[in-house]
């Protein structure tokens, strides 16, 4: 978990020249206390699941479960 930042909001993701691999991606984040940090990376992966189809498993007596069933693959 040393590379994971909890309670952090991504403010922006930008790259000055998308065709030039030598130019890094610039990520601006806001921490829980409101401070903003500017970070640079060679690669960025956005894995929010926005374009995936949800997978909701079915299980025995599922209809008796009173809570919400939420799952994505």
């Amino acid at each position: 978990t040393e590379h994971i930042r909890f309670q952090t909001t991504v403010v922006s993701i930008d790259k000055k020249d998308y065709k030039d691999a030598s130019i890094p991606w610039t990520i601006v984040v806001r921490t829980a206390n409101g401070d903003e940090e500017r970070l640079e990376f060679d690669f960025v992966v956005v894995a929010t699941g926005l374009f995936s189809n949800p997978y909701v498993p079915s299980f025995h007596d599922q209809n008796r479960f009173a809570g919400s069933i939420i799952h994505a693959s």
Side-chain angles (χ1 to χ4, degrees):
T1 60
E2 68 180 276
H3 298 293
I4 299 174
R5 295 194 181 196
F6 296 100
Q7 298 182 357
T8 302
T9 301
V10 175
V11 176
S12 65
I13 301 174
D14 192 26
K15 184 170 174 132
K16 299 300 179 199
D17 185 348
Y18 297 109
K19 296 179 182 178
D20 188 345
S22 67
I23 296 175
W25 288 87
T26 303
I27 314 297
V28 177
V29 298
R30 184 176 303 115
T31 61
N33 64 5
D35 292 340
E36 287 194 359
E37 293 182 45
R38 179 187 169 108
L39 309 165
E40 291 188 347
F41 299 96
D42 294 328
F43 301 95
V44 174
V45 175
V46 178
T48 58
L50 180 63
F51 298 106
S52 67
N53 294 321
Y55 169 71
V56 180
S58 60
F59 54 91
H60 181 69
D61 286 336
Q62 182 172 352
N63 60 332
R64 297 178 64 200
F65 180 70
S68 298
I69 300 173
I70 301 171
H71 192 277
S73 61

